[in-house]
Amino acid sequence: MAQFAALIYEPKDSRLEPTNPKFAEYMGGYGRFGEQYGASFAGGAALAPPETATTIYVEGGEDGDVVMLDGPYAETKEFLGGFYLIQAEDLDAAIAVARHIPAAWRDGGRIEVRPVWEM
Amino acid sequence: MNGFASASIAEVVRTEGGRVVATLYRMTRVLDVAEDAFAEAAVVALERWPVDGLPERPGAWLATVARRKALDMLRREQRRRSKEDAAAAALDALADNEPLTWSTVRDDQLRLLFTCCHPALAPASRVALALRVLCGLTTPEIARAFLVSDATMGQRISRAKAKIAATKLGYRVPPDHELPARLRSVLDVVNVVFTTGHHAPIGETLQRVDLTDEAIRLARLLGDLMPDEPECLGFLALLLSTHARHTTRVGDDGELVLLRDADRSRWDHDAIAEARALIERALRAGRPGPYQLQAAISCVHSCAPDFASTDWNDVVALYRILDDRWPTPVVRVNRAIAESQVHGPAAGLQLLDSVAGASGWPFFHAARGDLLERAGRRAEARDAFAAALACEPNAVNRRLIERRLAALKD
């Protein structure tokens, strides 16, 4: 068994606020996905929106100064909205699960599937 | 030398290479080990066979030696690192001395072909990998065929191998419900292998028979795997019918010979008969696909006793279906040429005007030039042939276009 990260890229504005009447339906898709395929999950998380991101690097070596930038590392039309860690035999098996992530088939999203490096 | 030349030994080793590597890959699941073990076995064969004579079953001989080499390599590897799990399974598979059956060998190759043609790999990598791993071409040979540097091609191949290893990319023939989608990618890859051999894109030679032969071998393998899949049979028919005419594509003077001028007695009529039987069987399934239609068109030409008796109505009807359901610029240009045979050059030119994105393609301009000349529009024809030359066609095509242009200047 190997692990694959399924990184969920959502178009800006596709994510609904909890106050939106369609929010329950939007999240329900992820709930149903979890019920159906949860057995193969090894982890995962939904991330708060990219506006909340802080991008940092350190200048002058490990003990140097932290430089902080407001916003995500790359300003793109899509943002990383969350990820699942999927336990699967091979890429085909991982894709067979990842294809059911709601962002893959609605909301105009894309899923990047990447093997976790076995160390 | 026991009656056979070292050139033929090298040939046997090379043709068996794809089979042996595929089997070793099944056992080890590491492409580099499979390739290196085979390379070591090939060295032994090249030393021993000229002295001992060709073994009765050279493929089995090579597989046995290569298996032993792979076993040694993995044992060394296992001693060096303590990582045992994956290697242990591979060692078991390699140590098993059961003789390989033909069906196992065939299945191994098919699985590896599907791995190399997996849609998760970039299209250019699929072709390169198939040529390297299944057809035994060297990286420089593949680099030459695709007009890139050795370093670029080496990097492309090793990156694809790394991805296969990291993702444990499916080493299997896909299940039936996925087969139609996956088959398309496999046929497209084998088709690129074939056309790369059939139309060498630049340079002085027009054909590389080693590539066309490999493509036909792989197409036969796919036909064996899926005898009920009409697109598979159609694909094999297309390659056979096209290849059957290859001896007359270039004249003794090295110049390109057009279909209308070909000496049809020199075509391979056995291959044409096989192609025809295959395409008829495929079309009876009632599920036409792009390769079946192209094969049917090719067979109309191959089966016509001379150019004048070509059934252009059939050709046009087939191109119309192809252009309607699977449109590409190439199909549209070929359809225009066929339509012009039935409805005159003006009809063909009208279709050519609707082709988008072909301005960098010499064949498009040459086809336009031909139709313009037949329509009596000589000045425009000259411009079209000049545009074709500006696209830098390969040397053989260039000389043909230059001759047409010179004739128009008289």
Side-chain angles (χ1 to χ4, degrees), chain B residues 154-171:
Chain B
Q155 205 175 38
R156 188 180 295 171
I157 291 172
S158 60
R159 208 180 287 151
K161 281 184 186 169
K163 181 162 183 185
I164 288 176
T167 57
K168 311 194 187 315
L169 204 60
Y171 174 65

Side-chain angles (χ1 to χ4, degrees), chain B residues 103-302:
Chain B
S103 65
T104 309
V105 171
R106 187 196 54 195
D107 293 350
D108 285 341
Q109 287 181 87
L110 279 167
R111 277 192 290 263
L112 190 53
L113 180 59
F114 274 94
T115 304
C116 292
C117 300
H118 198 288
L121 300 171
S125 307
R126 295 177 208 163
V127 179
L129 208 54
L131 286 172
R132 171 68 198 263
V133 174
L134 284 156
C135 306
L137 264 66
T138 64
T139 301
E141 281 175 320
I142 304 167
R144 265 202 304 284
F146 292 98
L147 316 176
V148 300
S149 70
D150 291 5
T152 303
M153 186 51 78
Q155 205 175 38
R156 188 180 295 171
I157 291 172
S158 60
R159 208 180 287 151
K161 281 184 186 169
K163 181 162 183 185
I164 288 176
T167 57
K168 311 194 187 315
L169 204 60
Y171 174 65
R172 64 170 105 89
V173 174
D176 285 353
H177 68 278
E178 285 175 20
L179 210 48
R182 293 287 306 277
L183 179 63
R184 189 63 209 268
S185 160
V186 171
L187 295 182
D188 287 351
V189 165
V190 180
N191 192 40
V192 173
V193 174
F194 183 82
T195 45
T196 303
H198 197 68
H199 308 269
I202 54 154
E204 288 297 319
T205 55
L206 198 61
Q207 305 184 52
R208 290 202 46 188
V209 177
D210 54 344
L211 293 187
T212 51
D213 285 350
E214 279 300 333
I216 290 172
R217 184 176 72 81
L218 294 172
R220 280 193 190 283
L221 216 55
L222 288 163
D224 286 349
L225 170 75
M226 290 166 272
D228 301 322
E229 179 52 54
E231 197 60 355
C232 249
L233 303 180
F235 179 68
L236 177 58
L238 173 63
L239 300 197
L240 288 172
S241 170
T242 309
H243 192 59
R245 309 199 297 244
H246 85 276
T247 45
T248 63
R249 283 187 68 227
V250 182
D252 297 333
D253 53 2
E255 297 303 313
L256 194 67
V257 177
L258 296 177
L259 185 58
R260 70 172 77 225
D261 303 323
D263 173 3
R264 298 184 180 215
S265 68
R266 285 170 55 209
W267 288 357
D268 180 348
H269 293 280
D270 290 342
I272 291 170
E274 187 187 355
R276 185 180 180 158
L278 281 165
I279 191 58
E280 282 172 358
R281 202 171 108 212
L283 289 172
R284 272 201 297 276
R287 286 186 283 135
Y291 285 118
Q292 291 172 71
L293 289 164
Q294 289 176 64
I297 292 163
S298 177
C299 284
V300 172
H301 290 301
S302 301

Side-chain angles (χ1 to χ4, degrees), chain B residues 41-55:
Chain B
V43 170
V44 180
L46 291 171
E47 286 168 5
R48 294 261 300 270
W49 292 359
V51 183
D52 302 349
L54 199 64

